[in-house]
Amino acid sequence: MDPMRRAPPSTPAAAIETKGLSKRYGETVALDGLDLEVPRNSIFGFLGPNGAGKSTTMKLLLGLAHPTGGAARVFGLDASRDSLAVRGRVGYLAQEPRFYDYMTARETLRFVLGFFEPLGARETRLRVDEALELVGLARIADRSIRGLSGGERQRLGIAQAWIHRPDLLILDEPAASLDPMGRADVLNILRRLRDRATVFFSTHILDDVQRVSDTVAILARGRRVAQAPIQELLTAKEAPTFVAEVRDVDDEARADIERLPWVRSVQVGASERGTTWRVTVTDVARAEADLLRRLLQDPAAVVVEFRRVAFELEDVFLDLVKEGSDAGHANR
């Protein structure tokens, strides 16, 4: 029996959906019951340490490997049975893209486009020009590839993945070997692609994920240990906490806030600009609607800064991977 129900006709299928997706190589478990749902027109960061199962997942989504359990769908199509149809809607960038060095960027894109659909000369030219402009290579489009820098080659790799206007881009470490300027260029391209396609990319550069992703999934030992919108993941590490840097707020205001039923604790400490209040709450919506107003009840009070505490993705990633690895060892 098919382990995944098809989406109702009135509901657009997710860009990617997997249920219990598993892959074994002999006694080695590369992927262990992976459940994912990737919304359309989102940027989805796919994280995990080496050997976590990221590359295996990509191969299964592209139909380059077959699962030993579960199923994967791309826009409602079975990634194994409908692999040809899936590949027509997907653009793929390998971790280390290879090109014919004697070709130019323009010739490379024209060559790749020829594998997907027969187009007239005018339409081919328009498609190639659009892709070159998208990745910022129009100015050097007729330079041979052997003269391109690493960042320019990587941008060309994204252009060749996009050249047939796919609905989904699967990018394996698209900025891994680039300097900060090259990484910034690639991230800007991903942002521009959000309105044109779903972007599913793996990386070990956590800062890149935090800067551009809408949603993140984290793998450890072949298992998903987290999937959530990026901001939810960064604020879920501990009880919701708000920080306010204030001046001239009296002790009575603190006592009033501590008595609120949705406030768990209030910690006050000195700061260069006054005092810093860390207010831990149980109801984020109430805190967002009411906490700042209560701090400003005294007309003399000044709030210099007010924000909800967020954590760096690296902190969350390390904690979740450790928990997932510990659970994996316990289950063996």
Side-chain angles (χ1 to χ4, degrees), residues 145-162:
I145 290 175
R146 67 170 56 90
L148 300 185
S149 68
E152 289 163 346
R153 283 173 175 257
Q154 204 69 7
R155 282 185 277 150
L156 177 59
I158 296 174
Q160 65 81 30
W162 165 251

Side-chain angles (χ1 to χ4, degrees), residues 46 60 62 66 82 97 101 110 113 128-129 137 169 179 181-182 187 197 226 259 272 278 280 285:
F46 195 46
L60 292 169
L62 292 164
H66 296 287
D82 306 317
D101 280 355
R110 190 183 300 128
L113 182 57
V128 170
D129 288 345
L137 293 179
L169 286 167
D179 60 23
M181 186 66 72
L187 296 183
R259 284 193 291 268
E272 292 181 1
R278 290 181 63 89
T280 302

Side-chain angles (χ1 to χ4, degrees), residues 96-111:
E96 296 181 3
R98 302 294 177 90
F99 305 104
Y100 294 113
D101 280 355
Y102 61 85
M103 284 186 171
T104 66
R106 189 186 307 279
E107 289 168 342
T108 297
L109 296 181
R110 190 183 300 128
F111 176 69

